[in-house]
């Protein structure tokens, strides 16, 4: 049981940003994709989530083929994306944003218990549940984006740069919560530029550069690797 | 006199508001301005006449049939024309809507003839007086139906799954897609919904003016009302319609009846020049 990416190629127009990358996210694990700007990390997530059609390779989710499916179909297969730009519904309330996160579901009891879970994870969202999403701070918006993703009850959650634009204290708080999410049984694929924070929570990591996997290993071995330290961990 | 102007103005304005809602409902989700909407009004009124006169259907059945045909026609435009054009520039889609409107208009002229058809009133056109005011049951019915349809629309958007999906696409199409909403599916719904709004307006207004293939030019007033309301606000579209109806009636009374039709174009131009966001339009807030 895993999310398996094999030989994935993708890009925009004639620019091939992802040039045949392969990696695996085992069930219930946290895997991180590291790498500099423009390495193809975000593009990889967009393709897996169905926002962008792949140009080659395959995406298998627990034995089902995902590549080529549209985003609204992918989420029904148990995979949710928390995009880099968060893509919230600005003039809807926190509660309405979360309710739309459960759009594909009809099990009322399950939705209610997942809402409790999200509010336990991020008590701030509970306090602000009647506020418009656009009035939230950056950190709260990130919490809402993660909460909305969790409301679809995914087996795999894709997170694109959750630390972007947030204060260090907040980054630490959000990353701590990611371990809680994994305890709930959801595997996480984490794209990050903040390699230090990512390797601290992840089990395994892949380093991408110009659209190919340069290096992979357990978080401990990547943290200890001299090349990784020099490039990303300073 | 003022009361009378308000009453007449609101009757016309209610119809403009429905058409304006059609423009806004569609534009907010798809960015397309549908210049064939006025001709869809005409078509829906003709469907009622055809069902009654040629098929012998009772009025209620004829109206239901017309609404159904309009909704299906709207969805067919999305599937058959807009979806294949989805990667084309917006201008190409807008030109396609002009072509659709023209085809409808000329198709009706060819099949139904250029002369006006009588359309039955919903209620009696004979006026009665209440205090100083002269009321026309047929006009009151127009206002009543329009209000009911508008309230229904707001309830649908606020409380149904169908409507929540539309609101989500209005707010953020990418966000909608990743929570599981089919954006092309919502576009089809919006085309259907805008077409039904135009159909209701067409069926309501046809008995008051004359039903000929050119009746759809009244659609431009719905367009002006939508612009007045900011073009991205549903309550704005309703307010814009009512305001336009009242302004038009007042101009007809105080200036001259010839001014009546000029006023909507004048307001349209003034609004674009002085208030590009309309009276109620919000600045686009694409980013959270």
């Amino acid at each position: 049981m895993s999310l398996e990416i094999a030989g994935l190629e993708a890009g925009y127009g004639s620019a091939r940003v992802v040039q045949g990358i392969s990696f695996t996210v085992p069930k219930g694990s946290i895997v991180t994709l590291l790498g500099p700007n423009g390495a193809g990390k975000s593009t990889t997530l967009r393709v897996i989530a169905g926002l962008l059609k792949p140009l080659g390779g395959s995406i298998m989710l627990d034995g089902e083929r995902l590549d080529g499916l549209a985003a609204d179909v992918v989420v029904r297969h148990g995979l949710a994306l928390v995009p880099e730009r968060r893509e919230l519904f600005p003039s809807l309330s926190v509660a309405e944003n979360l309710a739309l996160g459960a759009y594909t579901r009809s099990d009322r009891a399950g939705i209610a218990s997942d809402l409790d879970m999200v509010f336990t994870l991020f008590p701030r969202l509970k306090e602000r549940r009647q506020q418009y999403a656009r009035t939230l701070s950056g950190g709260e918006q990130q919490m809402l984006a993660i909460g909305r993703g969790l409301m679809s009850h995914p087996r795999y959650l894709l997170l694109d740069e959750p630390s972007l634009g947030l204060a260090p204290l907040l980054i630490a708080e959000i990353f701590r919560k990611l371990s809680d999410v994994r305890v709930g049984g959801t595997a996480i694929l984490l794209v990050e530029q903040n390699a230090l924070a990512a390797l601290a929570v992840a089990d395994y990591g892949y380093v991408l550069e110009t659209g190919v996997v340069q290096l992979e290993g357990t978080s401990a071995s990547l943290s200890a690797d001299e090349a990784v330290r020099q490039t990303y961990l300073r | 006199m003022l009361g009378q102007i308000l009453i007449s103005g609101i009757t016309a304005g209610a119809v403009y508001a429905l058409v304006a809602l059609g423009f806004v409902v569609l534009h907010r989700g798809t960015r397309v301005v549908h210049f064939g909407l006025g001709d869809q009004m005409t078509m829906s009124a003709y469907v009622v006449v055809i069902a009654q006169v040629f098929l012998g259907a009772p009025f209620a059945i004829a109206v239901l049939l017309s609404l159904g045909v309009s909704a299906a026609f709207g969805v067919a435009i999305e599937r058959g024309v807009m979806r294949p054009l989805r990667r084309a520039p917006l201008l190409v889609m807008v030109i396609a809507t002009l072509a659709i409107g023209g085809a409808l208009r000329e198709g009706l002229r060819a099949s139904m003839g250029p002369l006006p058809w009588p359309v039955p009133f919903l209620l009696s056109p004979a006026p009665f007086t209440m205090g100083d005011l002269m009321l026309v049951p047929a006009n009151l019915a127009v206002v009543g139906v329009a209000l009911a349809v508008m309230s229904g629309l707001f309830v649908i958007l606020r409380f149904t799954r169908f409507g929540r999906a539309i609101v989500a696409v209005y707010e953020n199409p990418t966000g909608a897609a990743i929570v599981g909403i089919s954006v092309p599916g919502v576009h089809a719904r919006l085309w259907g919904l805008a077409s039904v709004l135009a159909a209701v307006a067409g069926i309501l207004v046809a008995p008051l003016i004359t039903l000929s293939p050119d009746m759809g030019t009244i659609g431009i007033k719905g367009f002006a009302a939508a612009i007045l309301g900011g073009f991205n606000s549903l309550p704005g579209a309703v307010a814009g319609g009512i305001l336009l109806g009242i302004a038009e009636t007042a101009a007809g009374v105080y200036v001259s009846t010839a001014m009546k039709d000029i006023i909507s174009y004048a307001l349209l131009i003034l609004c674009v020049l002085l208030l590009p966001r309309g009276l109620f339009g919000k600045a686009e807030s694409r980013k959270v």
Side-chain angles (χ1 to χ4, degrees):
Chain A
M1 299 292 264
S2 59
L3 172 64
E4 269 178 68
I5 314 300
L8 191 70
E9 292 173 39
Y12 307 91
S14 61
R16 195 149 295 208
V17 182
V18 176
Q19 304 174 352
I21 67 173
S22 304
F23 60 89
T24 303
V25 183
K27 190 173 190 287
S29 67
I30 301 185
V31 170
T32 181
L33 297 184
L34 304 171
N37 246 335
K41 304 178 308 262
S42 286
T43 306
T44 302
L45 290 200
R46 285 172 58 81
V47 171
I48 299 172
L51 287 174
L52 187 68
K53 290 238 183 298
L55 300 171
S58 73
I59 302 165
M60 302 292 289
L61 183 78
D62 295 346
E64 288 176 304
R65 233 189 139 119
L66 281 195
D67 43 288
L69 299 183
D72 59 289
V73 182
V74 168
V75 67
R76 283 162 217 271
H77 283 78
L79 184 148
L81 172 70
V82 180
E84 184 179 346
R85 297 180 48 189
R86 291 155 199 161
E87 310 288 0
L88 298 171
F89 306 116
S91 35
L92 299 187
S93 70
V94 167
E96 288 172 315
N97 270 272
L98 292 173
L100 277 165
Y103 182 81
T104 54
R105 305 170 64 186
S106 50
D107 55 324
R108 281 166 177 271
I111 295 172
S113 89
D114 278 345
L115 188 63
D116 278 343
M117 180 266 292
V118 169
F119 282 156
T120 312
L121 201 60
F122 301 117
R124 202 72 82 72
L125 293 182
K126 189 173 189 177
E127 286 164 29
R128 314 213 162 210
R129 62 183 181 275
Q130 299 305 334
Q131 261 180 248
Y132 289 133
R134 65 160 179 269
T135 67
L136 300 179
S137 71
E140 289 162 351
Q141 288 188 11
Q142 188 60 57
M143 293 175 197
L144 181 54
I146 296 173
R148 187 183 66 181
L150 288 172
M151 286 304 291
S152 69
H153 204 79
R155 282 169 289 138
Y156 296 87
L157 186 69
L158 274 45
L159 284 168
D160 197 353
E161 303 274 3
S163 74
L164 204 72
L166 302 187
L169 218 60
L170 221 70
I171 297 176
E173 185 189 340
I174 285 183
F175 274 72
R176 259 199 316 280
K177 306 292 186 182
L178 296 186
S179 309
D180 296 349
V181 170
R182 183 245 301 268
V183 171
T186 304
I188 296 176
L189 175 57
L190 174 64
V191 155
E192 258 300 339
Q193 286 198 55
N194 187 337
L196 204 59
L199 287 173
V201 293
D203 305 308
Y204 203 84
Y206 294 83
V207 179
L208 262 57
E209 236 164 275
T210 56
V212 294
V213 174
Q214 285 289 346
L215 196 64
E216 62 169 279
T218 61
S219 295
S221 71
L222 285 179
S223 305
D225 187 280
E226 202 43 46
V228 173
R229 291 188 74 85
Q230 289 209 339
T231 322
Y232 303 109
L233 299 180
R234 284 182 295 277
Chain B
M1 196 65 208
L2 199 62
Q4 199 63 54
I5 289 173
L6 282 179
I7 287 184
S8 309
I10 289 171
T11 305
V15 173
Y16 302 157
L18 282 174
V19 186
L21 274 176
F23 276 108
V24 173
V25 154
L26 188 61
H27 176 261
R28 258 191 86 173
T30 65
R31 310 264 131 201
V32 174
V33 180
H34 177 26
F35 284 111
L37 206 56
D39 297 299
Q40 280 192 258
M41 291 170 69
T42 320
M43 179 189 80
S44 64
Y46 270 107
V47 173
V48 171
V49 168
I50 291 168
Q52 283 192 295
V53 175
F54 296 97
L55 308 177
F59 183 67
I61 301 291
V63 168
L64 284 179
L65 181 73
S66 173
L67 296 182
V69 167
S70 296
F73 190 79
V75 173
I77 295 177
E78 199 277 332
R79 289 281 153 83
V81 181
M82 295 302 151
R83 203 169 287 192
L85 285 178
R86 68 188 177 280
R87 300 200 198 289
L90 192 57
L91 185 63
V92 173
M93 296 192 210
V94 174
I95 289 169
T97 70
L98 276 168
I100 291 164
L104 267 181
R105 191 165 56 247
E106 298 316 320
L108 287 170
R109 206 188 314 279
S111 55
M112 302 298 290
L115 300 175
W117 281 79
V119 183
F121 286 94
L122 202 56
L123 293 176
S124 158
F128 65 95
T129 52
M130 207 173 75
D132 305 340
L133 296 177
M134 200 169 71
L135 300 173
V136 184
N139 292 4
L140 294 180
V142 168
V143 177
V145 171
L147 276 179
V149 169
M150 287 177 218
S151 324
L153 176 66
F154 286 104
V155 168
I156 287 172
L157 292 182
R158 188 89 187 80
F159 297 109
T160 69
R161 191 178 150 82
F162 177 91
R164 299 310 285 166
I166 291 174
V167 172
V169 171
Y170 282 173
E171 288 282 310
N172 187 333
T174 306
I178 62 176
V179 299
I181 294 165
S182 160
V183 178
V186 166
H187 284 184
R189 288 176 200 190
L190 292 173
W191 275 94
L193 200 57
S195 301
V196 167
L197 288 166
V200 173
I203 296 167
L204 288 176
V205 82
L208 307 181
I209 56 179
T210 44
L211 174 57
S212 74
D214 295 311
M215 187 186 91
T217 47
I218 197 175
I220 199 77
K221 296 191 179 172
F223 177 70
I227 294 271
L228 205 55
F231 225 86
N232 61 0
S233 153
L234 302 187
V238 174
I242 304 287
L243 273 176
L244 181 62
I246 293 171
E248 209 186 66
T249 311
V253 170
Y254 292 119
V255 189
S256 83
T257 42
M259 278 298 289
K260 210 171 158 269
D261 286 328
I262 295 173
I263 191 89
S264 53
Y265 296 102
L267 274 176
L268 180 61
I269 292 165
L270 276 178
C271 193
V272 169
L273 285 178
L274 304 177
L275 284 172
R277 279 178 192 158
L279 296 172
F280 303 90
K282 294 164 288 191
E284 295 273 286
S285 59
R286 306 266 331 140
K287 264 192 170 169
V288 175

